């Protein structure tokens, strides 16, 4: 793979993305195979993202509480996770907050 992956002429594949060092992946997102640097998260953004994550967590807790019958579904709320929206063309975003089904110990 080229050393300057920000200027590569071809779309990035999922395998190439996963082969990048974790610290490099933390600084980028991929949209339609094109690598883009993540925007800076200033204090105001961080505070808003924190409040958003708290609100989503509260909604997930209410969803679990209000579940009728049987075991309530397991829902996790996380921040700063790599979310592969689709593989071709590769799009990987890192939303400020995301709710998803709970993952087992060897998933994700």
């Amino acid at each position: 793979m080229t050393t300057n992956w920000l200027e590569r002429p071809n779309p990035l594949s999922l395998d190439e993305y996963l082969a990048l060092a974790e610290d490099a992946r933390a600084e980028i997102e991929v949209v339609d195979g094109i690598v883009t640097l993540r925007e800076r998260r200033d204090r105001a953004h961080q505070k808003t993202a924190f409040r958003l994550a708290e609100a989503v967590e509260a909604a997930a807790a209410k969803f679990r509480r209000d579940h009728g019958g049987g075991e309530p579904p397991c829902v996790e709320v996380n921040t700063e996770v790599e979310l592969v929206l689709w593989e071709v063309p590769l799009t990987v975003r890192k939303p400020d907050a995301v709710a998803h089904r709970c993952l087992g110990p060897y998933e994700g």
Side-chain angles (χ1 to χ4, degrees):
M1 181 179 348
T2 179
T3 56
N4 190 353
W5 34 268
L6 284 173
E7 297 177 7
R8 54 183 286 119
N10 301 317
L12 193 69
S13 72
L14 180 60
D15 289 337
E16 291 171 322
Y17 176 78
L18 294 174
L20 295 172
E22 193 171 319
D23 60 331
R25 288 196 334 240
E27 299 299 322
I28 64 170
E29 290 184 326
V30 182
V31 180
D32 293 333
I34 306 302
V35 176
T36 60
L37 289 174
R38 292 185 70 204
E39 65 183 47
R40 281 232 175 270
R41 270 51 172 180
D42 62 13
R43 287 182 64 205
H45 183 110
Q46 291 175 27
K47 185 172 264 191
T48 301
F50 176 77
R51 289 179 178 152
L52 174 64
E54 282 187 319
V56 173
E57 182 67 51
K62 182 179 182 329
F63 172 74
R64 287 188 295 270
R65 260 192 330 271
D66 294 347
H67 178 72
E71 186 72 23
C74 185
V75 177
E76 292 182 15
V77 176
N78 286 298
T79 60
E80 298 292 317
V81 296
E82 296 173 318
L83 181 63
V84 177
L85 296 176
W86 47 85
E87 291 185 29
V88 178
L90 182 63
T91 297
V92 180
R93 303 306 296 257
K94 295 178 184 83
D96 292 321
V98 63
H100 57 85
R101 69 174 173 80
C102 293
L103 300 175
Y106 300 105
E107 293 181 76

